[in-house]
Amino acid sequence: MKYIYQLFIILVVTFVGELLHYFIPIPVPASIYGLIIMLILLCTKVVKLEHVERTSDFLIEIMPLMFIPGGVGLVTAWGDLKDMILPVVVITIISTIVVMAVTGKATELIMKTGKKKEGKKDE
């Protein structure tokens, strides 16, 4: 029953994200709205981490399975992709490097900020 409750919370937040995507005329994916809503709910403690933690861990564990249909879709679309494979590979490599660099720098900044706050609390 605990997992159903946690999944229900996640699904409600996802549904609200879908509604926002439908009503707000900005080209932002519904999943991004859902993630932002969940972040706000977690930061404000409206939803406690314990309320969604186990189901979230399970969903993260099975995430590789979610990429199988996309991979199969790429294989079936090979005829259309083979003419533009070089630009797709270059764009994929460059965007991956940029995402990794930005994520690393953001993480460093957050960690430095956290250490500074811990140092001020100790004083």
Side-chain angles (χ1 to χ4, degrees), residues 2-77:
K2 185 178 200 177
Y3 290 106
I4 294 173
Y5 174 70
Q6 292 183 7
L7 184 61
F8 178 75
I9 293 171
I10 294 170
L11 289 176
V12 166
V13 171
T14 303
F15 179 70
V16 172
E18 290 287 340
L19 287 175
L20 287 175
H21 176 70
Y22 180 77
F23 288 112
I24 299 175
I26 300 175
V28 175
S31 59
I32 301 300
Y33 286 124
L35 287 171
I36 291 170
I37 293 167
M38 183 61 83
L39 177 65
I40 291 168
L41 292 174
L42 287 169
C43 287
T44 59
K45 307 270 194 241
V46 172
V47 173
K48 292 185 172 47
L49 183 59
E50 300 84 38
H51 294 161
V52 293
E53 187 171 24
R54 292 210 176 180
T55 301
S56 299
D57 288 343
F58 171 74
L59 291 172
I60 289 171
E61 286 177 14
I62 65 165
M63 191 183 301
L65 288 173
M66 304 302 170
F67 288 101
I68 292 173
V72 171
L74 285 175
V75 170
T76 59

Side-chain angles (χ1 to χ4, degrees), residues 98-109:
V98 169
V99 167
M100 289 172 64
V102 170
T103 303
K105 289 296 179 185
T107 303
E108 284 179 0
L109 180 67

